[in-house]
Amino acid sequence: MNDQEYIHEWISRYNEGELSNKELIAFRRLLEKDPEIRVETELDKELTEFLQDRDLIEFLKVLDMVKSKKRKESGFSCLLLAAVLVILVTLGCSWIILSPLRMGHPLMQKRTAGSTDPTESRSHGKVKFFPGKNQGFAPSQAGNDSMDDEFLACNFKPLAYMEGMVGVVTRSGSFHLISPEHSVTAGPADTIRFIWRVKKDATLSMEVINNRGESVFSHEEIPGTTMDLPVFQLPEGLYYWKFFDQDNLVSVGKIILKR
Amino acid sequence: MRPLSDEKIIEGIINKRPEVIHFMYKDYFPLIQVMIEKHSGTLEDAQDVFQDGQMALFLRCRDRELILNCALRTYFYSICRNIWLQRLEKKQKILYQPDLLVNENSEKYIAKDSITKEQKLERNRLFWKHFKELPDDCQNVLLMYFDKVPFRVVAEELGFTDENYAKVRKYLCKKLLRKRIKQDPDFINCIGYE
């Protein structure tokens, strides 16, 4: 032990009353001379008092135990709160994303026989056209050109919730569209040919809606893997098509129809 | 948690009952936190003051120094408020009057008995903070020694080779504890030694 070590030992022994008389006299002399040893001795004295107060130490242990329990509880509460927030955000996002898919929404509305009352329909088996009230604006023969242009522009205004879905293929395990592209531009005399691949037991149907979400065409239980969509009956404008496998929406695209 | 009467809380504090301490945290802490934050303190300050307040309340209950003329909640609030205001005053002194030795007021400040008690609380918290960070065998050897357990038994209990090693270990552990306390930046704040 060097001198410093001896001093440290003496400090402890002094405060614990373990120094002999001779050592005590020598240590007191040292205390008078050295302020640093005085501070150290004072600290040791207080520390000794603290360590002797077992009751207080036990109380502090309990305080710590309660504090850490509380911290755990609040950590758990934070975790719970975070989890609830995540769930809420997820639900909110799902609601926003899937809201167009909900039944009753134009995107999911499938025209079934008898469920609608088209003002004028031309039926080919399960194929229906709804050219009357659901059609967009058609320019008059002797109309005002500038007004016609303005109204026509309305026919091309994108339908927000559908725009986001164009090109999106949902639940598509059974369906693969080969032609046309998801966004197609067509003229008045055109017939758009849809070609796809589909699993054998699929029950495909198709619906076309205009840019106001109104159904203008539907075809239930499409046989085979091709279908022609005659667009000559439709006025110029923006249309969206939807393919369903049974009740599941499997593909969405849009048609820009220009005369 | 059902509200507890003042008597039950005092009894629980003396008997170190965790559920009573927990009740105090739940019921009293928000009050103290608001008070500290209103007086330019932080959440951490509030936690320290709350712990010191509980320690002060425990010591007063235990040493039969508690004279309750109002609701315990009010009493506890005033303990914490005093602790915080004194600490704040000290902080300001340190900030604005660094030369404490030539400051007349500082002498008066130290002379107050309540200040000494407040300093003691702060020191106890510092001691405890470092004590619980010591290795387990160090904590045990110190506690057993101050419980007046003979070194022979300490050595047996803690698996030391012999009682001489237990003595050396006790000395080294206390030295380590003192060293860590002295290195703590808070030690300077609560030193108060002449």
Side-chain angles (χ1 to χ4, degrees):
Chain A
M1 257 195 218
N2 57 30
D3 284 355
Q4 205 63 29
E5 292 285 304
Y6 270 119
I7 288 168
H8 276 291
E9 200 202 340
W10 276 30
I11 289 172
S12 274
R13 288 177 56 208
Y14 171 75
N15 284 324
E16 289 155 25
E18 289 177 357
L19 289 183
S20 65
N21 282 344
K22 209 175 159 187
E23 286 171 332
L24 200 60
I25 293 163
F27 186 73
R28 279 187 179 144
R29 224 176 279 144
L30 207 62
L31 271 181
E32 277 169 25
K33 266 202 303 194
D34 195 332
E36 212 173 299
I37 295 177
R38 273 208 301 275
V39 170
E40 189 81 25
T41 308
E42 190 66 26
L43 170 64
D44 189 82
K45 187 185 161 200
E46 290 200 9
L47 194 55
T48 302
E49 276 172 19
F50 173 76
L51 292 170
Q52 280 169 340
D53 196 343
R54 189 60 187 264
D55 216 21
L56 178 63
I57 288 175
E58 291 303 321
F59 180 73
L60 289 170
K61 269 186 192 171
V62 176
L63 275 190
D64 272 7
M65 192 184 78
V66 172
K67 255 168 84 177
S68 73
K69 198 177 159 194
K70 229 183 147 301
R71 215 172 293 134
K72 268 184 207 160
E73 271 176 18
S74 67
F76 179 72
S77 305
C78 288
L79 215 64
L80 200 68
L81 192 69
V84 168
L85 275 176
V86 167
I87 290 169
L88 284 177
V89 168
T90 312
L91 283 177
C93 290
S94 311
W95 188 82
I96 290 165
I97 292 166
L98 298 176
S99 58
L101 301 177
R102 283 176 305 151
M103 293 303 289
H105 193 281
L107 187 64
M108 275 303 284
Q109 277 172 358
K110 279 172 60 185
R111 283 190 184 276
T112 52
S115 67
T116 56
D117 182 22
T119 50
E120 187 187 333
S121 68
R122 194 186 59 165
S123 191
H124 301 284
K126 292 184 176 181
V127 180
K128 287 179 181 178
F129 255 106
F130 309 94
K133 67 174 181 184
N134 289 330
Q135 283 189 11
F137 170 78
S140 58
Q141 293 298 315
N144 180 332
D145 281 352
S146 65
M147 220 162 176
D148 284 354
D149 287 347
E150 209 173 297
F151 283 127
L152 258 178
C154 293
N155 285 1
F156 288 93
K157 193 180 170 199
L159 188 56
Y161 69 83
M162 285 302 295
E163 278 297 316
M165 299 293 291
V166 171
V168 172
V169 180
T170 58
R171 302 183 185 100
S172 63
S174 61
F175 182 86
H176 175 67
L177 185 70
I178 298 166
S179 171
E181 295 291 319
H182 282 285
S183 180
V184 59
T185 305
D190 288 347
T191 294
I192 302 170
R193 169 158 288 192
F194 288 87
I195 306 168
W196 62 84
R197 252 197 337 259
V198 71
K199 67 174 183 187
K200 275 181 190 165
D201 57 343
T203 311
L204 275 190
S205 57
M206 196 252 205
E207 186 188 16
V208 178
I209 59 170
N210 63 18
N211 70 334
R212 294 191 301 281
E214 296 161 343
S215 190
V216 294
F217 172 84
S218 76
H219 192 167
E220 299 286 324
E221 293 171 22
I222 310 165
T225 56
T226 59
M227 190 199 83
D228 288 334
L229 176 68
V231 291
F232 58 87
Q233 287 200 359
L234 300 172
E236 286 176 86
L238 182 59
Y239 297 88
Y240 299 91
W241 47 259
K242 303 180 276 181
F243 273 98
F244 295 89
D245 177 5
Q246 292 176 342
D247 282 334
N248 296 328
L249 181 70
V250 290
S251 185
V252 179
K254 73 174 172 184
I255 303 163
I256 301 157
L257 193 59
K258 281 185 177 171
R259 303 244 174 246
Chain B
M1 190 177 253
R2 274 168 45 201
L4 296 174
S5 67
D6 289 355
E7 289 76 19
K8 286 266 176 208
I9 294 174
I10 292 167
E11 189 204 327
I13 291 259
I14 294 170
N15 294 316
K16 308 175 209 62
R17 281 169 52 199
E19 66 274 19
V20 173
I21 312 277
H22 191 257
F23 171 81
M24 284 188 75
Y25 261 105
K26 243 183 158 161
D27 205 42
Y28 291 16
F29 183 71
L31 202 73
I32 306 303
Q33 190 185 350
V34 169
M35 182 268 292
I36 303 266
E37 285 177 349
K38 223 171 166 179
H39 291 91
S40 58
T42 61
L43 175 67
E44 206 182 323
D45 291 327
Q47 282 164 345
D48 285 348
V49 169
F50 190 77
Q51 185 175 344
D52 289 357
Q54 284 185 311
M55 209 191 321
L57 186 64
F58 169 75
L59 292 173
R60 283 180 200 189
C61 291
R62 187 193 67 177
D63 301 340
R64 299 181 189 283
E65 287 175 4
L66 181 73
I67 303 159
L68 207 56
N69 295 320
C70 54
L72 184 66
R73 176 194 280 263
T74 315
Y75 184 80
F76 185 73
Y77 180 87
S78 72
I79 291 180
C80 292
R81 192 168 184 275
N82 282 341
I83 291 173
W84 178 240
L85 292 182
Q86 283 161 12
R87 212 159 281 179
L88 209 58
E89 197 182 335
K90 198 165 75 181
K91 268 188 188 176
Q92 279 164 355
K93 273 182 206 289
I94 290 165
L95 276 176
Y96 303 115
Q97 301 165 352
D99 192 358
L100 286 174
L101 290 174
V102 295
N103 188 304
E104 271 181 59
N105 293 333
S106 66
E107 231 174 275
K108 284 179 199 163
Y109 178 83
I110 288 167
K112 286 181 196 168
D113 181 51
S114 60
I115 307 301
T116 318
K117 276 186 178 167
E118 193 274 323
Q119 274 181 335
K120 198 164 179 173
L121 291 175
E122 220 175 342
R123 272 180 228 162
N124 280 347
R125 182 156 44 80
L126 188 69
F127 293 165
W128 174 241
K129 175 182 155 191
H130 290 284
F131 175 77
K132 67 188 180 188
E133 281 169 8
L134 286 177
D136 281 352
D137 71 318
C138 263
Q139 291 187 29
N140 289 331
V141 78
L142 286 173
L143 288 180
M144 287 170 98
Y145 171 76
F146 287 106
D147 273 352
K148 302 200 186 316
V149 177
F151 277 118
R152 184 185 48 80
V153 180
V154 172
E156 276 172 19
E157 286 286 318
L158 301 180
F160 296 151
T161 45
D162 55 23
E163 57 180 280
N164 282 335
Y165 181 76
K167 270 183 202 171
V168 173
R169 192 82 188 122
K170 175 240 138 194
Y171 157 72
L172 290 175
C173 290
K174 202 174 175 201
K175 192 180 146 198
L176 175 68
L177 180 55
R178 274 207 315 263
K179 188 180 160 198
R180 286 186 180 178
I181 291 167
K182 275 168 67 183
Q183 282 171 347
D184 193 307
D186 285 342
F187 176 69
I188 304 295
N189 295 338
C190 63
I191 180 166
Y193 302 128
E194 284 173 29

